[in-house]
């Protein structure tokens, strides 16, 4: 198993998924608002259905040396979602994605955590750019992508799911954003 690094931001800890994260993840996947933009089913998942997307994240770290982190509030230790690199077989390019639990959305956690993930991907994996696959109806994620300096660069049809927009964050654009400046000033 790969050692999964822990990243700190001013308000968040990005860490390895643990067994005690299973119940919060199960609850999130059972929520229609959480699941509709990030699952093949485009709806709330049963516990049996949610098992696979929960189990795949530790497997990505073991297979590839990167994957999603659990995101937790530093102040409370409460899990608030997960985010990070994602590049399964057949994906159009190397992605950084985010999925913040519904009760924690709108607090800027996705952009803050994704900025730390993007800096880690650049430093550790040498990536000059990443993509973000975003459902055209998911305007909240489009705003996060824009904060990261991303631009809309195309679309892709996910087999058996439908069309998503491809947003691309290039390192040189990211370094000119306010979220990058905040990341640097926080020493994250």
């Amino acid at each position: 198993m790969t050692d999964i690094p822990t990243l700190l931001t001013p308000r968040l800890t990005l860490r390895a998924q643990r067994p005690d994260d299973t119940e919060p993840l199960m609850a999130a996947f059972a929520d229609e608002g959480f699941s509709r933009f990030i699952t093949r089913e485009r709806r709330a998942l049963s516990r049996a259905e949610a098992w696979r997307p929960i189990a795949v994240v530790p497997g990505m770290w073991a297979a590839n040396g990167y994957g999603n982190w659990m995101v937790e509030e530093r102040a409370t230790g409460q899990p608030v979602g997960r985010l990070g690199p994602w590049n399964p077989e057949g994906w159009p390019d190397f992605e950084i994605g985010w999925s913040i639990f519904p009760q924690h959305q709108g607090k800027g956690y996705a952009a803050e955590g994704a900025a730390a993930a993007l800096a880690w991907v650049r430093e550790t994996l040498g990536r000059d750019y990443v993509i973000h696959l975003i459902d055209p109806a998911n305007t909240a994620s489009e705003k996060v992508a824009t904060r990261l300096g991303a631009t809309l660069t195309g679309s892709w049809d996910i087999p058996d799911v439908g069309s998503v927009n491809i947003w691309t964050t290039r390192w040189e654009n990211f370094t000119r954003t306010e979220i990058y400046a905040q990341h640097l000033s926080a020493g994250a």
Side-chain angles (χ1 to χ4, degrees):
M1 183 72 169
T2 300
D3 287 330
I4 300 172
T6 298
L7 307 181
L8 300 175
T9 74
R11 300 180 298 159
L12 306 172
T13 300
L14 280 59
R15 59 162 174 80
Q17 186 173 305
R18 303 184 306 233
D20 62 333
D21 294 320
T22 300
E23 288 307 315
L25 284 164
M26 285 285 186
F29 279 111
D31 184 281
E32 179 77 27
F34 180 82
S35 293
R36 70 183 168 144
F37 293 131
I38 63 167
T39 65
R40 286 188 153 314
E41 297 82 2
R42 302 294 211 187
R43 59 170 171 73
L45 302 182
S46 69
R47 289 183 69 85
E49 291 169 321
W51 181 88
R52 186 176 308 274
I54 292 170
V56 75
V57 168
M60 280 199 79
W61 278 102
N64 299 323
Y66 61 80
N68 280 197
W69 285 276
M70 282 301 296
V71 180
E72 102 183 354
E73 287 178 323
R74 288 179 70 177
T76 65
Q78 182 178 16
V80 299
R82 63 183 188 180
L83 59 77
W86 185 254
N87 192 20
E89 192 65 32
W91 222 236
D93 213 326
F94 193 94
E95 180 179 17
I96 289 181
W98 46 84
S99 50
I100 303 300
F101 298 161
Q103 66 272 30
H104 298 287
Q105 293 174 1
K107 299 178 182 179
Y109 290 162
E112 184 176 325
L118 185 57
W120 181 86
V121 163
R122 168 70 175 191
E123 180 180 305
T124 306
L125 305 177
R127 303 283 315 179
D128 290 329
Y129 72 93
V130 298
I131 66 166
H132 318 287
L133 299 178
I134 301 175
D135 185 294
N138 191 346
T139 57
S141 278
E142 288 177 346
K143 288 176 185 174
V144 172
T146 300
R147 286 193 67 199
L148 296 171
T151 57
L152 181 61
T153 55
S155 63
W156 181 55
D157 287 328
I158 300 176
D160 303 321
V161 174
S163 185
V164 293
N165 289 329
I166 301 173
W167 289 75
T168 302
T169 298
R170 299 194 177 285
W171 183 252
E172 62 271 12
N173 293 342
F174 172 62
T175 60
R176 292 192 290 261
T177 64
E178 179 183 328
I179 194 76
Y180 178 71
Q182 292 169 356
H183 175 76
L184 284 182
S185 68

